[in-house]
Structures are given as C-alpha cells and as structure tokens.
Amino acid sequence: MGILSPEQLQFFNSQGYLVIESFASSDEIESMMQRMEQLVDEFDPSSTASIFSTKNQQKLTDDYFFDSVERISFFFEEKAFGDDGKLKQPKQLSLNKVGHALHEIEPAFKKFSSSEKVSSLMHSLGYKRPVVMQSMYIFKQPGIGGEVVPHQDNSFLYTEPQTCTGLWLALEDANILNGCLWAIPGSHKNGLVRRFLRDKDGVKFDQPSPSYDQKDFVPIEVKAGSLVVIHGDLIHQSFENQSQKSRHAYSLHVVDTVGCKWAPENWIRRKVEPEPLFVS
C-alpha cells in the first residue's frame, strides 16, 4: 500500500496531483474523527478567538498561530462570530481547522501520518529523509466553511530546491456541493509564483496573487478514505461549503531534508527538529 505504479507516477508528474482511493481504512478514519470530536469537546473557546482565513492571512497571524507549529491549536471560521463577538452556533460547527502538530502529539493521527503506507508513498516520490512539517484537521463546516483561495503549497513550506508535497485525506466524501478541492492540471510545471515570508513585523506574500481563470480548474471529487497527493507547485483551491454537510479532511505537508535546505524565512520555526518518516 502506498507504493506508486509507473502509471500513477506518470499521472502525478503530468497533472501535478494524484487520487489514491481507499488509502485510509474506515477504522483509521473513525479513530481520527472520534479523537477530534473529543479534542473539540474539551476545548474552551473563551481561551482563544484565533480566526483562520486564507483571504486575510496577513492580518490574522498572531503568536497563537506561530506557536501552533508544535502544539494542537484551534482556529475559527471568519463567519463564526456575530457582531457581539460571540459564537453564532456551537463551537463544534464554528471551527475552521485544528493544527499544526496533530501528527506528533495525538496517537490516532501519528499512527496514520507515520504509517508504512505514507512512507512507501514518499519513497515512491523519491524522498530521501522526509519530515512532516505540519498537519491540519480541516472541518469545512456546513454553510460557513470558508473558501481557500488559489495557492501553491511551496509558497508556505519553501525549501531550496523545492520539495513540498501535500497529502490531503478525505475523512468524509468531498464533492462540488460541500467544497471539494479544485486544481489546474499541469500548473505545477509553471513553477512557483510567490512566497509567504515571515519577518519581525509578521508575515506577508512577496508578490500579489495572480488572477486565475476559473474555467481552468477541475474539481477533485473523492470518497472518504481517498488520498489526494498534491505537488508543491500545483495551483489548487476550494470554495465555500454551501451545503448542509461537513467535509472533514486531514492534511499533511511533507518536505525532504536531504539535498535541500529549509528556508529560515518560512512562517514555521520549530524549536525541536521533526523526526523523519524514514532515512534512505
């Protein structure tokens, strides 16, 4: 499991993404979803009001966000709060995501993230000493699940040369109605458009976003358990969830640590080096 066939590798190299159906078992999905339900139940919303939005990323970055790289932190949807500053609905339906160290701290997530099949997949893609730099549980809540604007993962997790690969696991069915991924096939061949940089003042992009033609995007509709493998330069996005069904997903971003260098101006600044998935 996880070892790519020549046909799968060819598709990934030409299109910039690959769908692997039934990558996670129903038991793995259930253990991650149940644990997240517990984590959210235990979370006290009054302890933070950190909002995550890809539209206002520069404005909404604070120490809570920066510290989340080695913690489990909770981020709300922009539309979760009323004018009075209070949550409009239960916290379970108000969160955008939880990140960014589930893969290190929480056993159910760690077990999947460091599984043989994930390692086999990264080995198939030519990685020598891969590390997971961040993990996220994304809720895409019914009705308020926010849009994720077109982006490339290498912008945020830059190595020299570039080595980021995104692994996006559908924990629930993802379709056009509930905010599935969309991508521009082959767009990874055009290289990286811009970078997301951190300095003493916070974070910013070094270039404005190009405008994209929506008709170039194709939807990636998948069943629960499917893994979408995403090249670091692939332009992808997702729209608001306008349905009454959530679209939970678990996402990992992996970079190599051999023959490349982690950029010090990336937003992620770890105190402890991450453990590699394997060393080859």
Side-chain angles (χ1 to χ4, degrees):
M1 185 71 177
I3 299 169
L4 298 182
S5 68
E7 293 74 27
Q8 285 175 309
L9 269 173
Q10 188 186 355
F11 186 92
F12 179 74
N13 289 330
S14 71
Q15 302 301 302
Y17 71 93
L18 175 70
V19 176
I20 307 174
E21 291 177 357
S22 307
F23 189 85
S25 68
S26 51
D27 285 352
E28 287 174 311
I29 291 170
E30 193 180 347
S31 69
M32 289 190 270
M33 290 185 76
Q34 277 184 348
R35 181 56 186 144
M36 184 50 65
E37 198 177 329
Q38 289 173 329
L39 287 168
V40 172
D41 284 346
E42 293 162 9
F43 163 63
D44 173 9
S46 65
S47 65
T48 173
S50 204
I51 293 171
F52 183 78
S53 160
T54 62
K55 285 182 175 171
N56 299 320
Q57 215 150 350
Q58 284 156 263
K59 289 196 207 77
L60 295 172
T61 325
D62 52 17
D63 287 341
Y64 184 78
F65 181 76
F66 290 138
D67 292 343
S68 71
V69 298
E70 290 171 280
R71 293 183 189 171
I72 292 170
S73 304
F74 298 78
F75 300 91
F76 289 106
E77 281 291 353
E78 270 188 295
K79 294 181 179 177
F81 297 93
D83 294 336
D84 59 359
K86 293 193 168 68
L87 287 177
K88 291 193 278 193
Q89 48 194 354
K91 61 183 175 179
Q92 286 81 354
L93 296 171
S94 304
L95 287 165
N96 170 289
K97 69 176 182 180
V98 172
H100 289 92
L102 288 161
H103 63 287
E104 290 182 319
I105 296 170
E106 280 298 326
F109 293 93
K110 187 174 189 171
K111 189 176 173 188
F112 173 79
S113 310
S114 52
S115 62
E116 188 72 28
K117 57 192 171 191
V118 168
S119 289
S120 298
L121 171 60
M122 300 321 294
H123 195 269
S124 287
L125 292 171
Y127 282 71
K128 300 281 185 274
R129 190 183 175 276
V131 298
V132 178
M133 283 310 286
Q134 65 174 24
S135 53
M136 298 181 277
Y137 191 106
I138 305 160
F139 296 92
K140 202 66 137 174
Q141 305 284 6
I144 65 165
E147 151 188 26
V148 176
V149 296
H151 66 284
Q152 298 166 297
D153 294 337
N154 272 329
S155 296
F156 304 93
L157 300 115
Y158 187 82
T159 61
E160 185 69 59
Q162 294 155 39
T163 61
C164 181
T165 296
L167 306 178
W168 190 95
L169 178 70
L171 299 172
E172 298 181 303
D173 295 354
N175 54 49
I176 290 174
L177 293 176
N178 72 353
C180 69
L181 295 173
W182 293 68
I184 302 179
S187 55
H188 64 300
K189 293 177 181 169
N190 300 326
L192 185 60
V193 175
R194 61 184 187 152
R195 286 181 58 191
F196 188 68
L197 307 173
R198 178 175 170 184
D199 60 22
K200 62 183 191 318
D201 302 321
V203 288
K204 61 175 185 292
F205 284 103
D206 63 350
Q207 305 279 340
S209 176
S211 52
Y212 296 103
D213 192 334
Q214 288 302 328
K215 68 177 190 298
D216 293 337
F217 286 86
V218 299
I220 306 175
E221 296 189 290
V222 293
K223 291 266 175 245
S226 298
L227 185 77
V228 186
V229 186
I230 302 168
H231 188 285
D233 280 344
L234 182 78
I235 293 158
H236 58 290
Q237 65 177 353
S238 64
F239 295 105
E240 284 188 342
N241 181 358
Q242 296 181 336
S243 78
Q244 290 313 299
K245 276 200 172 127
S246 59
R247 191 227 66 188
H248 290 199
Y250 177 54
S251 145
L252 299 168
H253 289 98
V254 183
V255 299
D256 215 342
T257 56
V258 166
C260 62
K261 184 171 160 284
W262 179 254
E265 59 278 9
N266 284 335
W267 80 268
I268 292 179
R269 303 201 177 160
R270 293 184 53 110
K271 296 179 180 73
V272 180
E273 284 295 307
E275 287 290 312
L277 294 174
F278 61 83
V279 179
S280 68

